[in-house]
Amino acid sequence: MRILIFANTPAHVHLYRHAVDRLEEAGHDVLVLTREYACTTELLEFFGLPYRPYGEHDVAATSKLAIGRELGGQLGTIVRETVRFRPDVVFGRGPYAALAGTVSRAPTVLVLDDEPGEFNHTASRPFADCILSPRVTRRELGADHYTFDGFKECAYLHPAVFDVDGAVREYLGVDPDEPYALVRFNALDALHDAGLEGFTGRQRRDLIERLSDRVTVFVSDEGNEMDLRELPARPYDLHPALIHDAMAEASLLLADTGTMVTEAGLLGTPALRYRGTDDHEYGEFRELERVGLAEQFDSYEAVRDRALELLADDSADERWQRRRRTYVGDLVNLTELLVEVAEASGDLEALDRSSRAALRPASATRSPDTSG
């Protein structure tokens, strides 16, 4: 089989990387189409995945109009690469996968989450043969939409597939028992981030100074805007492929971005999210809050004070790990499911009984969400 996969962000690389390995080992021909954005191609290189770029995302293009123009210039390359590859099935999201599936007449599988806005869903839903999403998301996208117990991040953080690199503390330069916190600042340059604001510059500096009184602080600044030379923090400068290992060993993850908070929670690391001006209600965070693996805050002072409280609590790490053992191990191993769906060309009726049992029609698990 020939399987085409779109990986437009670092998170997409992680979503599909284990499945690509499994499919290639089984003798299938896999191609990842990607764009130059953040560390996306760097991750593809690190994991040895077969890829071709179709364009570059300009982080300065923050308005929906600018991003739309950028997309328009990339569609021709996507068409050419798709026609050349001749896929039997396409995986992705948004207009990228929709276009590739249309020009190749191949079944199209969309793997979605509870992101805000309607653009990606509206552009791709009519062209999808199969839509997969976590059961905790709030949307119902038609007769071909199926849900599973878990999160997209279960494709690479499920206990069955994730093993921490025991040398990560050595890479970071911290002692075996030295507590540290990871702080992630969002660049807020994706389409669904347009108009949003996270930590201000003053809040960033205050947060680092307060946390550094308790633990070693590593800062991952997606926008590369901060000068840490006069602040009591170290830049997180390991290869981006090691970020989950670093999160797994951390005493705390605090961020104004969503994916890393979800990831830390699934790893059993105390995870706090500052919402800033983002008032969208995400099903994933609501579920992680329900099981005690993540917390969200609308107030900067509230998230800062909660972070300090957790760092002073010697039992916090064990509580989070206990919750992870109780909850995450029972979720779907999404890598296994993606491999089976790919080999079935998106035809869920062709899956074996256990895989079919892991999926439910979205319409059977929730009422249609029309709130946007």
Side-chain angles (χ1 to χ4, degrees):
M1 289 184 63
R2 303 174 68 82
I3 301 155
L4 179 63
I5 295 173
F6 281 86
N8 298 323
T9 70
H12 298 164
V13 178
H14 290 298
L15 169 63
Y16 292 110
R17 63 184 175 89
H18 290 298
V20 171
D21 288 343
R22 290 268 303 275
L23 289 166
E24 287 193 313
E25 289 170 2
H28 302 297
D29 192 1
V30 183
L31 174 64
V32 178
L33 281 184
T34 188
R35 60 182 178 179
E36 300 279 354
Y37 170 65
C39 60
T40 305
T41 54
E42 191 174 356
L43 288 172
L44 290 165
E45 290 280 356
F46 182 92
F47 293 119
L49 304 186
Y51 77 93
R52 294 178 194 156
Y54 64 79
E56 181 176 357
H57 174 49
D58 180 4
V59 296
T62 55
S63 72
K64 292 185 178 181
L65 177 60
I67 294 174
R69 288 172 177 167
E70 178 183 278
L71 171 62
Q74 299 169 351
L75 298 184
T77 303
I78 290 173
V79 169
R80 288 193 299 273
E81 293 291 352
T82 301
V83 171
R84 179 188 303 172
F85 185 65
R86 296 178 289 108
D88 296 303
V89 63
V90 176
F91 280 78
R93 63 188 299 146
Y96 314 97
L99 176 64
T102 299
V103 300
S104 64
R105 298 184 179 180
T108 302
V109 180
L110 307 181
V111 184
L112 305 177
D113 57 5
D114 213 4
E115 72 167 19
E118 295 293 334
F119 179 69
N120 274 332
H121 303 300
T122 300
S124 56
R125 173 180 171 179
F127 306 94
D129 295 272
C130 173
I131 301 174
L132 304 179
S133 72
R135 197 157 294 153
V136 297
T137 60
R138 303 173 305 118
R139 298 178 186 273
E140 196 278 296
L141 298 172
D144 298 313
H145 180 193
Y146 290 81
T147 67
F148 57 89
D149 278 330
F151 301 75
K152 293 198 327 313
E153 292 79 9
C154 288
Y156 53 98
L157 296 181
H158 191 280
V161 297
F162 178 78
D163 290 308
V164 66
D165 185 334
V168 70
R169 284 182 167 271
E170 179 182 348
Y171 303 151
L172 288 169
V174 295
D175 294 334
D177 297 323
E178 182 178 349
Y180 66 88
L182 280 172
V183 180
R184 172 69 164 181
F185 297 128
N186 199 344
L188 295 172
D189 57 8
L191 174 62
H192 56 260
D193 293 327
L196 296 182
E197 296 179 2
F199 290 109
T200 66
R202 180 190 61 80
Q203 290 169 344
R204 291 182 178 196
R205 291 188 295 273
D206 179 65
L207 181 64
I208 290 170
E209 290 171 351
R210 300 290 189 99
L211 294 181
S212 67
D213 289 337
R214 305 287 179 89
V215 294
T216 300
V217 178
F218 289 94
V219 174
S220 172
D221 179 19
E222 187 180 27
N224 294 315
E225 299 172 351
M226 292 201 69
D227 184 352
L228 298 177
R229 288 175 295 182
E230 297 184 1
L231 289 170
R234 306 184 202 175
Y236 175 81
D237 56 5
L238 299 189
H239 192 285
L242 297 171
I243 187 62
H244 303 116
D245 304 283
M247 276 195 277
E249 286 289 304
S251 297
L252 176 74
L253 183 285
L254 195 156
D256 55 2
T257 180
T259 298
M260 287 183 65
V261 173
T262 301
E263 291 170 335
L266 292 174
L267 287 167
T269 296
L272 307 182
R273 176 177 179 250
Y274 174 51
R275 290 162 57 105
T277 60
D278 186 0
D279 60 359
H280 181 77
E281 290 294 333
Y282 299 85
E284 290 91 340
F285 289 128
R286 184 170 53 193
E287 175 67 3
L288 288 173
E289 286 185 298
R290 183 187 72 81
V291 297
L293 287 173
E295 299 176 15
Q296 296 189 90
F297 300 84
D298 295 322
S299 159
Y300 164 69
E301 290 75 14
V303 71
R304 178 198 64 199
D305 293 348
R306 178 57 172 158
L308 295 173
E309 179 184 359
L310 285 171
L311 291 177
D313 182 353
D314 292 336
S315 65
D317 284 343
E318 176 52 34
R319 288 203 309 277
W320 254 261
Q321 285 297 321
R322 185 170 60 250
R323 293 165 186 167
R324 178 183 188 249
R325 290 191 296 270
T326 300
Y327 177 71
V328 181
D330 290 334
L331 300 178
V332 167
N333 179 347
L334 185 55
T335 285
E336 289 188 357
L337 185 60
L338 291 175
V339 169
E340 293 194 27
V341 172
E343 292 182 327
S345 295
D347 180 3
L348 302 188
E349 294 300 319
L351 300 178
D352 65 31
R353 181 177 300 178
S354 63
S355 296
R356 287 201 308 272
L359 295 168
R360 295 185 204 166
S363 57
T365 58
R366 70 180 66 79
S367 299
D369 174 32
T370 59
S371 64

